[in-house]
Amino acid sequence: MLFYTDNPAIPDYVQVQLVNGSILFEFDNGNGVGRAMLAVSENNTLTVCDGNWHELVIRKAELVGEIKLDGIHSASGMAPPGRVGVDTYAPLFFGGVPDVIDSALFVKKMV
C-alpha cells in the first residue's frame, strides 16, 4: 500500500498499491470502481522494484484515473458513469493502513 483514504460511511475511496511489482491506482466515486494499472514488463524494461528512485504521478479527473511513471510510462482507466467526485476525508495513509482501521471494510477493496 502506497496511499489510501476513504469514507467509511459510503463506498468512496482512493488507493495506490504495488501489486506484484505493478502499480495499481483504484478509486470509487460511489458508482463502482475505476482502475488503472501500469504493469511491469516481462523483459524487465519497466520495473519499479529496482533499487532506484522513480517519479510517480497519480491523477484523477472526474471518471478518469491516470498513472505516470518517470514521465515515460503511463496507464489510465475509467470509473462507471455517474458521480465524478470521490467523497473522502482525512486521515490519509501513506505506506500502509494501521491495525486500528476496520479491516473488514478495507480488505474488500484490496486486490
Side-chain angles (χ1 to χ4, degrees):
M1 180 64 56
L2 299 176
F3 171 83
Y4 180 82
T5 187
D6 73 358
N7 183 338
I10 58 177
D12 295 21
Y13 70 96
V14 177
Q15 67 182 1
V16 179
Q17 301 180 51
L18 280 176
V19 180
N20 298 322
S22 297
I23 302 166
L24 172 66
F25 172 36
E26 200 172 74
F27 58 95
D28 190 332
N29 295 337
N31 303 309
V33 176
R35 182 176 292 122
M37 180 172 269
L38 188 57
V40 295
S41 62
E42 291 183 17
N43 60 5
N44 289 328
T45 58
L46 172 57
T47 181
V48 292
C49 300
D50 59 2
N52 295 310
W53 286 93
H54 295 276
E55 178 182 283
L56 177 63
V57 176
I58 303 294
R59 179 175 179 263
K60 183 194 165 299
E62 298 188 353
L63 300 176
V64 178
E66 299 174 318
I67 300 170
K68 187 172 270 190
L69 179 66
D70 296 332
I72 301 169
H73 309 285
S74 62
S76 63
M78 290 190 69
R83 290 181 47 226
V84 296
V86 176
D87 184 16
T88 63
Y89 57 86
L92 306 174
F93 298 104
F94 293 90
V97 178
D99 293 337
V100 296
I101 300 299
D102 184 352
S103 62
L105 294 173
F106 180 71
V107 170
K108 71 179 180 181
K109 298 174 185 173
M110 294 287 290
V111 170

